[in-house]
Structure formats: C-alpha cells, structure tokens
C-alpha cells in the first residue's frame, strides 16, 4: 500500500519496521527493541532540526508553509524576551520557529539543489515523501523515500544533508558502509518492488549545509543495489 497523505510523525508512530529499526537490529537487537518500543521521545537536536529543514526546503520550495522566522532582535535572556518568545510560539504553534541563519541555510540548500544540472530533472519529476507499506518475509515494514521517481526512469532518490566538505563521493560511501545506510536504500527498493514498482536506479542527493552549498548526485550501481537488498534481508 502507498499512502501519499500521511504525515512524517504519523508514519513514525506506525508499528511496522522502518529502516532505522532494522539498522538498530543489525547492531544490537536489545537496543533495537528499546529504541522502537520503550524509548521516550526526546526534543530534537539542532542537527535534527536542520536536517528536517533542509529536506522541507528542497521538497516544498516554500518553507514558509512549515517554518516561521523568530522575531528579530529578541533578547532571550531577559524575562520580557522569554515572554515574547513564548507568546510567539503560541501564536505559531502550527509551525517550527527557526533563526535567520537557519532560514538562510535552507534557502541556500534549496537553490543549490534545484539549480543542479543532474538533480533538477529528478526534483521536477518526483512525488515527495510517499510512504510505502508491505510485508516481506513475514515482517510488516515501511519505507519513505524522499523522491519517488518511479515514473521517471524507475528511480528512487534520497536527500542527505552533509557538513561542509562532506558531500563528495568518497566520504559519503565511507559513511554509507560505516553507519549501515545501505539498509535504508535496500528497504526502500524492496518495498517498492513488493508494491509492483521495481526501481532499477537509486541516487543520493547530497547537499552541504554551509556555503557554497555544494551538491553531488551519488549513484548506487547495480552491485551496490543488490548488496543493499541482500543485507536488508539478512
């Protein structure tokens, strides 16, 4: 089943196994069980907020739909400033409040991605944040590729925000192996196959989160795609 409307929060709340659950299980099943079923929700870190912000900026174009700039010149150390910020939060409870620096970063990443020669055709053709649900080897699983380009060259694309200088192919592939990110690609590809949308190609759209916001499209060749699927099924 494909769901085009479910929010990211509701997607994460569903019991089916995600790529992150499987990546935890590859390291330690006890930790995987804890993270999925017992771990309490923690406040998002600055890195998590920035990563989600960059994704939203690239996928929605108009980040004002989801984010709002905090009041300029606000002194958060004073009682009056804290009260003003509290009231601003309450008045904008449906949006995430970000700083001017974060807003500039998001706009820079968006512009860099959409102006990139190889990324642009996929961004233009994509269906963003589609949630796929399937049962594979008796296990209920879920996957949510950033860009579903099945109708455009049978391709899936995943956006990854990177630190400055870390969007090159060598550094990315090193981290890809080290952190088990191949499971995320493998699960997305397997779920789409199960849903009768087999994808022959998989790309990573790497975007650096600092000027000059370098962008690289990294292709998983046929061998790496097969390795990703095999390791996911292990």
């Amino acid at each position: 089943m494909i769901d085009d409307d479910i929010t990211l929060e509701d997607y994460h709340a569903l019991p089916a196994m995600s790529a992150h659950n499987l990546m935890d299980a590859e390291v330690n099943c006890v930790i995987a069980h804890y993270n999925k079923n017992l771990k309490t929700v923690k406040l998002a870190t600055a890195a998590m907020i920035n990563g989600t912000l960059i994704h939203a900026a690239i996928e929605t174009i108009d980040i004002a739909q989801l984010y709002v700039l905090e009041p300029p010149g606000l002194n958060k150390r004073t009682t009056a400033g804290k009260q003003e910020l509290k009231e601003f939060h309450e008045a904008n409870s449906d949006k995430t409040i970000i700083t001017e620096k974060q807003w500039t970063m998001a706009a820079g990443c968006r512009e860099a991605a959409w102006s990139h020669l190889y990324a642009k055709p996929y961004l233009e053709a994509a269906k963003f944040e589609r949630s796929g649900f399937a049962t594979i080897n008796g296990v209920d699983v879920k996957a949510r590729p950033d860009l579903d380009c099945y109708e455009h060259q049978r391709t899936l694309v995943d956006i990854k925000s990177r630190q400055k200088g870390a969007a090159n192919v060598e550094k990315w592939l090193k981290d890809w192996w080290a952190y088990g990110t191949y499971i995320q690609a493998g699960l997305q590809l397997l779920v789409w196959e199960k849903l009768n949308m087999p994808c022959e190609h998989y790309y990573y759209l790497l975007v650096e989160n600092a000027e000059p916001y370098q962008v690289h499209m990294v292709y998983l060749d046929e061998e790496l795609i097969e390795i990703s699927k095999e390791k996911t099924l292990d």
Side-chain angles (χ1 to χ4, degrees):
M1 178 187 76
I2 289 284
D3 191 328
D4 288 315
D5 300 316
I6 188 171
T7 65
L8 184 59
E9 292 76 14
D10 289 342
Y11 168 83
H12 284 309
L14 292 173
M17 295 287 283
S18 69
H20 288 292
N21 300 144
L22 297 178
M23 289 160 69
D24 285 343
E26 186 179 43
V27 176
N28 187 303
C29 289
V30 174
I31 293 175
H33 172 74
Y34 171 78
N35 286 343
K36 180 167 178 58
N37 301 299
L38 303 175
K39 187 177 181 180
T40 57
V41 177
K42 294 184 178 181
L43 294 176
T45 65
M48 292 167 60
I49 292 173
N50 285 346
T52 303
L53 172 60
I54 290 169
H55 275 70
I58 293 173
E59 294 173 4
T60 65
I61 300 299
D62 183 11
I63 58 174
Q65 299 174 18
L66 304 170
Y67 296 85
V68 62
L69 194 61
E70 72 177 17
L74 185 65
N75 188 344
K76 302 176 188 177
R77 292 175 292 183
T78 66
T79 301
K82 291 177 182 177
Q83 181 60 32
E84 183 181 350
L85 184 60
K86 179 183 177 182
E87 293 173 357
F88 189 76
H89 272 276
E90 292 171 350
N92 295 276
S93 58
D94 60 331
K95 296 182 179 181
T96 301
I97 298 172
I98 59 175
T99 65
E100 184 175 0
K101 182 178 180 181
Q102 288 175 305
W103 189 284
T104 300
M105 175 199 68
C109 291
R110 177 191 64 208
E111 174 61 26
W114 278 85
S115 61
H116 190 271
L117 178 64
Y118 298 112
K120 186 176 181 179
Y122 294 99
L123 290 166
E124 291 178 332
K127 294 179 180 179
F128 296 110
E129 299 288 345
R130 306 188 84 197
S131 297
F133 302 89
T135 301
I136 299 175
N137 292 346
V139 178
D140 292 334
V141 293
K142 58 188 177 183
R144 190 177 171 105
D146 294 322
L147 281 67
D148 176 5
C149 301
Y150 172 75
E151 295 176 3
H152 177 70
Q153 300 183 357
R154 296 195 172 199
T155 300
L156 296 180
V157 182
D158 196 61
I159 300 169
K160 295 295 184 188
S161 59
R162 302 284 283 170
Q163 299 293 322
K164 186 172 184 177
N168 66 66
V169 177
E170 292 77 14
K171 287 186 178 181
W172 168 248
L173 288 178
K174 181 179 178 180
D175 289 345
W176 188 79
W177 284 111
Y179 297 111
T181 312
Y182 44 79
I183 291 177
Q184 185 182 46
L187 185 61
Q188 291 174 4
L189 290 162
L190 289 167
V191 169
W192 255 240
E193 282 182 14
K194 192 73 173 181
L195 298 174
N196 297 315
M197 295 185 293
C199 291
E200 301 171 6
H201 310 287
Y202 195 100
Y203 285 92
Y204 287 101
L205 171 51
L206 308 182
V207 185
E208 293 184 4
N209 61 11
E211 293 183 288
Y213 306 110
Q214 293 193 78
V215 174
H216 290 283
M217 289 286 283
V218 178
Y219 181 65
L220 287 190
D221 61 26
E222 185 176 350
E223 180 181 5
L224 289 179
I225 283 177
E226 288 307 311
I227 289 174
S228 296
K229 292 192 286 188
E230 289 170 5
K231 285 186 170 291
T232 302
L233 292 171
D234 282 348

